[in-house]
Amino acid sequence: MNIVDCIIIGGGPAGMEAANRLTDQGFQVLLFEKEPELGGKLRQWDKLFPDFTLAQDILKMLNDNIASNKLEIKTGNTIRELRQSTDEGNSKEWEVIDGNGESHRARTVLITTGFDFFDATRKEEYGYGIYPNVITSVELEEQLKNGKIEIASNSKNDPNIAFIQCVGSRDEKVGNHYCSRNCCICAVKQAIEVKELLPQSEVTCYYMDLRMFGQSYEELYRKAQQEFRVNFIRGRVSEISPTLENRVILKAEDTLLSRPIRATVDLVVLMVGMEPSETTAQLSKSLNMSDPYGYIASKNSYTADNETQHKGLFVAGTAKRQLAIPDVIRDADAAAFTIAKHLKNGK
Amino acid sequence: MINFGYTLNKSGAINLVEADLSLYNDLMKKVPSFARCIGCGGCAATCAARQHTDFSVLKCNMLIRRGEYDTLSKELNKCMLCGKCSLVCPRNVNTRAMIIQARLLVNSFSKR
């Protein structure tokens, strides 16, 4: 049986980048993707923060590299099992059972199974799935991609649009203590895009904290305030209820004025956070390397962040924690470097 | 009207839809940097008037943003226009100009 150098599980940006970097160096790679196409969540996105780069441009670069490299790709294939090879004397090898029950062997395995969006129906008080005016940031992105924002209410006035931060993040009620890191800046980006499409709309963003940690994030926030007049209100929305005109009322506390605040709006965008994907959670559990939320814990987040506690098993991207596209690509590069080092030393 | 011996309290909530934001919008045109406030409260912390009264630049700022003009005129008059708030603002909001322009606008607003 052919033993490849590396099996990569997950064909999103992390998996694609790592596959390219490993084949560049002459290693034999087998890449698994559960969807019919490579690209992961990047395929759902229109423009990327903070500079409105087209997601499809990044995808094209990754895909062009894939096309010019010689590697085996199995799309539409969800792996069933990942385990250390049981053969005598061959315990350094890994075995992957794919969706068709076929066995594949590799010297190393890289897990790039990524994240999923928080299921907004779990925050019932926001009425997602109940009121047509309440959508998620993922759905808004799709509308922005099509260049048209759908307003469900029949109000004839200029639309009022509200963004709600931290839906499924920093919330012990849903078991996610962590910050998803990407939603703050994504809301700022989407608010600007909404203002560009509907200049007469009133756009308000309700936040607990605005975490503009990345390069050019704070500048974009400043631009949203100064040039696009996006209104930022510090206060967590407690509940959303419908009106007779098919609009919805938000209730929040204006914590900077210590007063309750009410607003009737035509569209609410829930900034859904990140959670480990189903496969990430399964793998982290079955191989006993889960963090408290089901993400895969790396061996040492300072010095061995692409390694796991299992020899020959590596991890990159949002299967570990919440990262943005540039971080994911850099992390995949680092993983490819670490795997190459491992393969060379092993020979 | 029949006197039942009790009255209803006016709602203390800010209603963003019914809010009259005309003064806010006028002020935005006069002092564009006003849009950049992030509510950090640096202005209030350094304020000389704040040491002896309950005056707060941040509070004035927020009241204008929410269209709450009832108590604004009285609040704005507590400012001594020293301008220390403008010196400390991390977003470089021209807070002193904001107060001066808001005073003028509030006066013309109450005359309407």
Side-chain angles (χ1 to χ4, degrees):
Chain A
M1 181 188 265
N2 179 33
I3 297 168
V4 296
D5 292 319
C6 184
I7 286 179
I8 301 180
I9 305 169
M16 292 167 86
E17 175 71 8
N20 285 328
R21 290 287 165 256
L22 282 167
T23 40
D24 280 349
Q25 295 177 74
F27 293 110
Q28 200 187 357
V29 173
L30 170 57
L31 175 61
F32 281 100
E33 167 56 41
K34 68 178 182 332
E35 299 294 331
E37 245 179 274
L38 296 179
K41 302 276 187 299
L42 192 56
R43 283 167 54 219
Q44 285 170 260
W45 237 245
D46 181 28
K47 288 174 189 163
L48 306 177
F49 56 76
D51 58 0
F52 302 93
T53 296
L54 287 174
Q56 62 185 41
D57 287 355
I58 305 295
L59 256 182
K60 191 176 178 299
M61 277 182 239
L62 292 168
N63 269 320
D64 286 353
N65 283 339
I66 293 259
S68 65
N69 272 320
K70 208 179 129 210
L71 75 147
E72 196 183 344
I73 303 165
K74 288 190 184 293
T75 50
N77 198 329
T78 310
I79 64 137
R80 255 181 232 171
E81 208 183 336
L82 167 65
R83 61 182 179 215
Q84 239 152 347
S85 173
T86 46
D87 286 8
E88 284 292 320
N90 263 339
S91 58
K92 276 182 194 163
E93 281 165 21
W94 287 85
E95 186 180 14
V96 168
I97 312 291
D98 75 8
N100 307 322
E102 282 169 35
S103 166
H104 306 268
R105 292 195 180 203
R107 288 183 187 89
T108 60
V109 169
L110 173 64
I111 302 175
T112 51
T113 45
F115 74 101
D116 256 331
F117 296 106
F118 175 78
D119 172 13
T121 55
R122 284 169 64 196
K123 293 296 286 178
E124 266 187 64
E125 59 269 44
Y126 293 154
Y128 177 72
I130 303 170
Y131 314 127
N133 322 57
V134 182
I135 64 169
T136 66
S137 43
V138 186
E139 288 159 338
L140 178 68
E141 192 68 29
E142 204 184 316
Q143 296 186 13
L144 290 167
K145 208 171 184 174
N146 300 330
K148 192 179 185 309
I149 295 163
E150 290 155 33
I151 309 282
S153 79
N154 29 28
S155 159
K156 285 180 186 67
N157 298 330
D158 296 329
N160 259 314
I161 297 166
F163 285 81
I164 300 180
Q165 294 284 18
C166 299
V167 178
S169 313
R170 303 179 71 197
D171 185 356
E172 300 209 10
K173 291 288 184 289
V174 297
N176 292 341
H177 299 201
Y178 57 81
C179 163
S180 289
R181 289 169 46 109
N182 295 311
C183 342
C184 279
I185 181 64
C186 184
V188 170
K189 182 209 75 135
Q190 291 186 332
I192 289 176
E193 290 172 310
V194 166
K195 273 287 207 179
E196 280 172 338
L197 270 176
L198 305 168
Q200 299 305 316
S201 61
E202 276 297 326
V203 179
T204 312
C205 181
Y206 293 83
Y207 66 93
M208 301 205 287
D209 288 302
L210 282 173
R211 300 184 158 182
M212 299 294 154
F213 58 90
Q215 187 176 30
S216 307
Y217 288 10
E218 183 72 18
E219 287 88 334
L220 195 68
Y221 168 32
R222 188 182 184 279
K223 196 174 165 184
Q225 285 184 302
Q226 183 76 75
E227 288 173 34
F228 293 91
R229 295 287 156 84
V230 177
N231 196 8
F232 291 87
I233 295 179
R234 187 175 178 275
R236 189 168 174 85
V237 172
S238 64
E239 62 187 283
I240 294 176
S241 43
T243 73
L244 291 172
E245 305 86 51
N246 290 326
R247 303 172 92 201
V248 285
I249 300 177
L250 314 182
K251 275 187 191 178
E253 170 81 4
D254 188 334
T255 59
L256 291 177
L257 269 178
S258 299
R259 294 258 302 274
I261 193 162
R262 307 269 178 277
T264 311
V265 303
D266 303 281
L267 183 70
V268 176
V269 182
L270 305 178
M271 299 308 299
V272 284
M274 293 163 88
E275 287 192 327
S277 74
E278 208 183 325
T279 323
T280 299
Q282 274 168 6
L283 289 175
S284 68
K285 199 178 161 204
S286 68
L287 289 158
N288 218 3
M289 50 182 187
S290 174
D291 84 344
Y293 309 103
Y295 287 104
I296 293 167
S298 65
K299 194 173 170 188
N300 183 319
S301 63
Y302 293 87
T303 57
D305 199 29
N306 293 111
E307 291 166 50
T308 65
Q309 52 176 296
H310 303 288
K311 213 173 174 192
L313 185 63
F314 300 85
V315 62
T318 53
K320 273 192 301 198
R321 64 185 76 98
Q322 312 76 32
L323 298 168
I325 295 290
D327 310 326
V328 164
I329 291 178
R330 279 192 292 272
D331 195 45
D333 290 345
F337 181 81
T338 314
I339 291 167
K341 195 174 145 205
H342 177 93
L343 287 168
K344 279 172 189 160
N345 290 347
K347 269 174 194 168
Chain B
M1 199 150 124
I2 306 164
N3 182 359
F4 289 104
Y6 61 87
T7 55
L8 286 174
N9 281 349
K10 193 172 166 277
S11 167
I14 297 162
N15 191 321
L16 265 190
V17 175
E18 286 164 19
D20 174 5
L21 296 176
S22 54
L23 192 152
Y24 169 55
N25 290 328
D26 288 350
L27 188 59
M28 279 283 205
K29 282 182 202 130
K30 301 246 188 228
V31 190
S33 64
F34 182 50
R36 297 199 297 263
C37 174
I38 50 173
C40 71
C43 46
T46 195
C47 178
R50 177 113 177 116
Q51 309 303 317
H52 306 289
T53 68
D54 60 356
F55 173 68
S56 157
V57 193
L58 172 64
K59 199 179 166 194
C60 288
N61 185 335
M62 299 313 287
L63 288 172
I64 296 168
R65 279 166 183 273
R66 306 289 183 261
E68 299 275 314
Y69 308 135
D70 294 352
T71 54
L72 191 61
S73 174
K74 207 175 141 215
E75 280 298 312
L76 289 170
N77 282 328
K78 292 176 186 166
C79 171
M80 299 185 285
L81 297 177
C82 70
K84 270 168 80 186
C85 47
S86 307
L87 295 178
V88 298
C89 179
R91 279 296 186 89
N92 212 11
V93 176
N94 196 344
T95 40
R96 188 171 176 274
M98 180 202 96
I99 298 273
I100 295 171
Q101 292 300 332
R103 276 182 185 173
L104 294 170
L105 288 168
V106 162
N107 287 339
S108 62
F109 196 76
S110 53
K111 277 178 205 145
R112 273 183 218 171

